[in-house]
Amino acid sequence: NDLAGNLKTLDAESTTQLRTLVDLGSDCFCQAEVPDTSRVFVDVGLGFHVEFKHDEALNFIPDKVASLQKQADKHASDAADIKAHIKLVLEGIRELMQLPEASALEREDKHGWSGGRH
């Protein structure tokens, strides 16, 4: 985990301040100066960030990873269900394409003949 590794590096090197690049999005970065590295802000979900001491953040990480894994598993399951539905619909379309057109079937029913097949 990147956060855990970065926190451990900060602790091991006794880093108290830091200069870094911050990703603003769309591959746009700016320099940032962190005057006090004793606390970090962690994305806890739903757009909220919580300020943690390093040890608090390290304790939170396993819970966050488990939550993200659960979400990933749910998305994978949903994707498998959708794939199965698509496969079923495609098979139905294949079967329908092998049937005579609907107008020929209606003529058979109305006239009692099989569209030229006797």
Side-chain angles (χ1 to χ4, degrees):
N1 183 318
D2 289 344
L3 176 59
N6 290 339
L7 290 174
K8 289 175 184 176
T9 300
L10 287 173
D11 288 341
E13 296 176 1
S14 300
T15 305
T16 58
Q17 52 187 337
L18 177 68
R19 290 190 87 188
T20 187
L21 289 176
V22 176
D23 185 0
L24 300 175
S26 300
D27 290 328
C28 183
F29 293 84
C30 73
Q31 284 191 356
E33 190 169 318
V34 181
D36 178 13
T37 60
S38 65
R39 294 179 174 271
V40 294
F41 285 91
V42 178
D43 180 355
V44 295
L46 300 174
F48 292 97
H49 293 76
V50 174
E51 185 177 4
F52 286 121
K53 293 178 187 173
H54 291 193
D55 60 331
E56 294 169 332
L58 289 170
N59 289 334
F60 173 76
I61 290 170
D63 294 335
K64 180 68 175 178
V65 168
S67 172
L68 292 172
Q69 185 61 54
K70 186 176 178 181
Q71 288 177 3
D73 293 345
K74 173 78 170 104
H75 291 310
S77 174
D78 291 348
D81 289 346
I82 291 169
K83 186 176 180 180
H85 285 111
I86 289 171
K87 210 171 185 181
L88 184 65
V89 168
L90 287 174
E91 186 59 34
I93 290 171
R94 277 191 207 102
E95 288 180 21
L96 288 173
M97 290 178 71
Q98 294 174 359
L99 294 176
E101 62 186 51
S103 60
L105 290 175
E106 290 171 2
R107 282 188 302 228
E108 287 180 23
D109 291 341
K110 287 181 186 176
H111 303 293
W113 56 280
S114 59
R117 294 172 301 196
H118 294 272

